[in-house]
Amino acid sequence: MDEHARRQFGAFVADRAPALIRVAYLLCGGDQHAAEDLVQNALVKTATRWSTLRHADPEGYIRTVMYREQVSRWRRSARGRELLVEPPREVLADQSGHVDLRLAMRAHLLRLPPAQRAVLVLRFFEDLTETQAAQVLGCSVGTVRSRTHRAVSRLRELLGDEHWLTEART
């Protein structure tokens, strides 16, 4: 990588790293250290191809690398160990209700399987279409649809009373 490309890559990383870490944080189930590792690994893989990517869509490439790397981690960990999830904590009432909703959503998102969580991040946080999400995850559109449906259904089941959600939004 020449000096000009190195400076461009450094500026890109300085500008976009916070957004990439936020996405990685969601993918890693709230584990900040794992999120930072995921972003770092994606940036290392991107740095080797920077001269060809800098004129295209480098952020899209990095995000694709992140999603695929995370899917690989899930597959490796699914073979070797159990995922221990702490039971959801009682949510204390908050006058605004927004904090309660965020805590409940976070706790329930952590209870979803990683693949379902990834689909929700892609579809609703990243605002990708089903086709785009399927391309990023390397699966079919039907798989994205079914995982989205199962994840949303499970979240509704976990969150329970819709009246509570309506009050929290106001």
Side-chain angles (χ1 to χ4, degrees), residues 45-155:
K45 290 179 179 182
T46 304
T48 60
R49 304 200 56 207
W50 182 253
S51 51
T52 59
L53 292 173
R54 65 182 173 190
H55 302 295
D57 179 21
E59 187 164 352
Y61 181 83
I62 292 170
R63 287 174 185 254
T64 299
V65 169
M66 285 171 39
Y67 285 112
R68 291 187 177 171
E69 179 74 21
Q70 189 62 20
V71 168
S72 295
R73 286 181 183 182
W74 294 329
R75 288 180 181 150
R76 282 191 303 267
S77 68
R79 287 185 216 126
R81 61 181 198 147
E82 292 182 23
L83 175 66
L84 300 176
V85 179
E86 68 181 64
R89 297 182 200 139
E90 282 295 316
V91 179
L92 302 175
D94 183 16
Q95 290 185 2
S96 71
H98 295 286
V99 173
D100 289 342
L101 179 59
R102 287 178 65 122
L103 290 173
M105 283 298 289
R106 182 178 184 276
H108 296 315
L109 280 170
L110 290 174
R111 294 178 68 188
L112 293 177
Q116 288 180 6
R117 193 168 54 238
V119 168
L120 290 180
V121 170
L122 286 169
R123 293 283 290 126
F124 301 110
F125 184 76
E126 293 285 330
D127 201 25
L128 296 182
T129 65
E130 290 171 336
T131 304
Q132 291 168 326
Q135 288 173 342
V136 168
L137 294 173
C139 64
S140 70
V141 173
T143 300
V144 169
R145 286 182 185 151
S146 65
R147 285 181 183 166
T148 303
H149 176 74
R150 287 185 191 120
V152 170
S153 296
R154 180 68 176 141
L155 282 177

